[in-house]
Each structure stands twice: as C-alpha cells, then as structure tokens.
Amino acid sequence: MRIITRSGSSVPASDHADWQSILAASFRDAGSLLEYLQLSPEVIAGDAIKAAIKQFPVLVPPGYAALMKPGDPRDPLLLQVLPRADENQQVEAYVPDPLAEKHSNARQGIIHKYQGRALMLATGGCAINCRYCFRRHFDYSANRLGRRDWQQALEYIAADSSISELILSGGDPLMLQDDALSELISLAEAIPHLTRLRIHSRLPVVIPERITDALIRRLEISRLNTVVVLHINHPDELTPAHKEPLNLLRNSGTWLLNQAVLLKDVNDDLMILSDLSERLFAFGITPYYLHLPDPVTGTHHFDSGDDTALRLHHQLRSTLPGYLVPQLVREIAGEPYKIPYISLTSGQ
C-alpha cells in the first residue's frame, strides 16, 4: 500500500491495506515523528513537553504524517498533533470540562445535552490524538462500554420517545470493527422512535481505508437515516486517496457533514478557510460548523480570539456562496443548542 502525500507523490506505509494495520503502524512518540519529518528533537525538548506527553500521549497515523511538509515545524497538520510546553500553563477560564458534560452524563456511556438527540460514547479510543481535543480530560474509565453493555445503555434511549436521533461518538466510534459496529446499529434500529443515526468520526480523514465496503453497505441498508460528521480543519487533510471512498459512502445514501475548529496558526486565515470549504464541496462534504475552540485546560494556545473569528467569518460570507459557509458557533454549557457566534455578539 502507498499513501498519497500533499505533493501528489506517494510513500510506502504498510504491507497491508486494512485500516487496523495502518493504525498499528502509527507514530506513538514525538521523537520518531520529528525524525520522520526531518526536524530537530529540540522542538520537543524540556520537562514541560515531557509532562504534556505524559498527560496526553502522541498518536499520529502514518498517512496523516505523510501529508506534513518535511522540515517545517509550523506545518498546520503537525501543529494539531505535536505536544507543546504551553499545554502545562494554567490559564483562567480554561478548565478540564468546559462543556460540563459530567452534568449531562445521564448514565454510563450516555450524554444527553439536547432535546431530541442523545450521544453514546461507543469507544474511548481515537486513531489520532488532536492536542486541542475537548475531551482530552474526560473520564472515559467511568463511561467505558463493552459490547455486553450496549443494550443496557440503549435502554435509556428506548425509554425516552422524544429522542429521534442517536449520535455515536467517543473517542471515535469507527474504532469499532465492522461486525461490532453493525451489531450496535442493529440495537439502535430496534428502537422504534429512532429515525436518524449520526456518527462523528475523524478516522475516514486520517485513515481513509476505514471506509470499508462492509461499513458502506451496513449504513446503506439501515432503516435509519444516516449521517457521518467528519472533522477536517485544513484543506491539506483531503487528498486523492480520500475521494473515492468518500464518494462511495455519500453515493450509498449517507449524508456527509464537516465540523472544523478554528485553530490559531492552523486555519485562522481567510484563504485557508475558503479553500477548505471549496475542497469539502468537491469531495461531496457539506461545511457544517466552524467551532470556536472550547476552553479546555491545556489548549489556550489554539485560540485566535473572538475578534479574529468574527472577522474571518464575515469575510467568508463575502467570499463564498452561502451553502459553502459553515456556521460559526460556540458551545456553552447548559445552553439548549450550539450558539451562533453572531448571536452572541449582537445580543440576540
């Protein structure tokens, strides 16, 4: 198997094309990643960096690393995954659980924030550790669900007929193998009042081989309307290797949406955001949300500031057709929906 780089060339990744083998070959320490990118280990020198890594380990699939520019310590994909000393700074208003999910944790593995939909933490693991992750401090140990626990967890959904949509999240729900995911979907389909299944995943972005024939077919035959919400922050994250599997998934009847996070030095630039929306559309993905970053402990250095966010969003609206402009939103604990940022600034 070969992985397509941002330049269009390819590099070998694994003797096996299955997604689990690719995941197993991931970079799991920052030093190896830097060596691969021909960068000095001094980039991660110091006790503060070691503490950041201990708290939140490095995990980067080889195909994602192959999209980074060798020799560039400011590569926008690298900045999303490389630990920094800033993560150890204590900044006022940055807390471990900014969305107060512990108060919405209705039962083990179930988070119920909003009317009509509930979220199931299908897994605790991801295929990539993004340093700005809003659940980097989440207590997954108290919410771990094995296959034998799924039915009991879904009893909460079954008992509330106002819930019409099940959201599979985590971690990353596509870390489940296809047979396990199929079983979980079948359990959801047995709940009469559910009409939609939404899967939030970064796996098809960082390992496009995860979009298997079995996954496509299982979503295609589901009685539920299916939505996959991807997480793509930069146009360089989409390559020719992504186009065919994403097209197959979309053409099978699954709606593809994208949620991006506005990140300092990664995508807080009009040209980058405009290119991202254009590329998403070319790949059959609808730009959905552009999130202001959540104030999570250890992530303050990713925040460009509200004024920058509003200016960029206004420029996007002036540059792109409306259907290519994602909603600029902030999630606020206790609010009944994600708040459009323009509403916050106008007092509406």
Side-chain angles (χ1 to χ4, degrees):
M1 187 196 76
R2 301 184 74 82
I3 291 171
I4 305 298
T5 67
R6 69 165 67 182
S7 66
S9 61
S10 62
V11 296
S14 171
D15 293 330
H16 307 285
D18 66 284
W19 67 272
Q20 290 170 299
S21 295
I22 296 170
L23 178 61
S26 295
F27 293 95
R28 295 177 184 272
D29 71 88
S32 297
L33 177 62
L34 291 177
E35 182 180 3
Y36 169 76
L37 293 172
Q38 303 166 31
L39 288 167
S40 168
E42 292 300 313
V43 174
I44 55 163
D47 292 340
I49 293 289
K50 293 177 183 177
I53 294 172
K54 184 176 181 180
Q55 183 183 85
F56 193 47
V58 171
L59 178 62
V60 184
Y64 194 78
L67 302 180
M68 301 173 188
K69 184 179 180 181
D72 183 3
R74 306 300 295 171
D75 180 272
L77 276 59
L78 176 63
L79 291 178
Q80 296 181 58
V81 298
L82 190 68
R84 299 189 228 176
D86 292 332
E87 295 178 32
N88 295 302
Q89 295 180 15
Q90 297 298 313
V91 177
E92 187 178 359
Y94 281 75
V95 296
D97 183 19
L99 305 183
E101 289 195 317
K102 64 182 179 181
H103 299 306
S104 304
N105 205 169
R107 65 180 306 167
Q108 183 177 348
I110 298 291
I111 294 177
H112 192 184
K113 297 181 188 179
Y114 302 129
Q115 174 69 27
R117 51 213 186 271
L119 183 149
M120 182 175 181
L121 297 163
T123 63
C126 288
I128 186 168
N129 283 349
C130 302
R131 308 308 296 184
Y132 53 86
C133 179
F134 76 99
R135 288 201 182 116
R136 57 180 290 167
H137 304 289
F138 188 78
D139 187 4
Y140 285 105
S141 62
N143 282 278
R144 186 174 292 116
L145 294 175
R147 288 175 79 159
R148 288 180 292 184
D149 304 317
W150 289 344
Q151 182 66 65
Q152 184 176 1
L154 287 172
E155 287 175 0
Y156 177 88
I157 311 294
D160 187 344
S161 61
S162 72
I163 299 174
S164 59
E165 180 175 46
L166 175 64
I167 303 169
L168 297 183
S169 184
D172 194 314
L174 291 188
M175 289 287 282
L176 294 174
Q177 296 185 39
D178 285 329
D179 62 336
L181 183 63
S182 179
E183 179 184 333
L184 179 53
I185 293 173
S186 294
L187 293 173
E189 289 169 333
I191 301 174
H193 51 264
L194 283 183
T195 60
R196 293 185 305 279
L197 175 70
R198 193 193 326 170
I199 298 174
H200 284 228
S201 180
R202 190 142 162 80
L203 243 166
V205 182
V206 300
I207 305 179
E209 291 82 0
R210 180 60 189 95
I211 306 178
T212 61
D213 292 342
L215 173 63
I216 293 170
R217 177 59 179 159
R218 184 61 186 87
L219 296 180
E220 182 179 29
I221 66 173
S222 178
R223 75 159 186 86
L224 302 171
N225 293 314
T226 55
V227 181
V228 171
V229 180
L230 301 164
H231 179 181
I232 304 164
N233 294 319
H234 196 280
D236 287 349
E237 294 179 330
L238 285 173
T239 74
H242 294 84
K243 193 149 197 179
E244 181 180 1
L246 288 171
N247 277 340
L248 289 171
L249 183 58
R250 181 173 61 95
N251 291 338
S252 71
T254 292
W255 191 17
L256 303 182
L257 302 174
N258 185 62
Q259 293 189 124
V261 181
L262 187 64
L263 302 169
K264 186 177 182 180
D265 299 326
V266 173
N267 60 8
D268 59 339
D269 175 88
L270 176 60
M271 185 64 69
I272 291 173
L273 291 174
S274 179
D275 287 350
L276 174 60
S277 283
E278 295 279 10
R279 180 161 285 229
L280 288 169
F281 187 75
F283 279 65
I285 306 165
T286 302
Y288 173 40
Y289 280 149
L290 177 61
H291 281 269
L292 291 162
D294 297 312
V296 186
T297 301
T299 68
H300 65 279
H301 50 287
F302 283 109
D303 190 357
S304 297
D306 290 3
D307 289 344
T308 296
L310 192 59
R311 172 178 54 79
L312 286 170
H313 197 249
H314 283 169
Q315 290 174 339
L316 273 180
R317 295 170 72 180
S318 300
T319 304
L320 297 173
Y323 58 86
L324 292 185
V325 180
Q327 293 186 65
L328 180 66
V329 297
R330 184 189 295 283
E331 187 166 0
I332 299 176
E335 291 294 334
Y337 53 85
K338 294 179 181 178
I339 307 299
Y341 186 61
I342 192 170
S343 296
L344 291 172
T345 56
S346 63
Q348 296 176 358

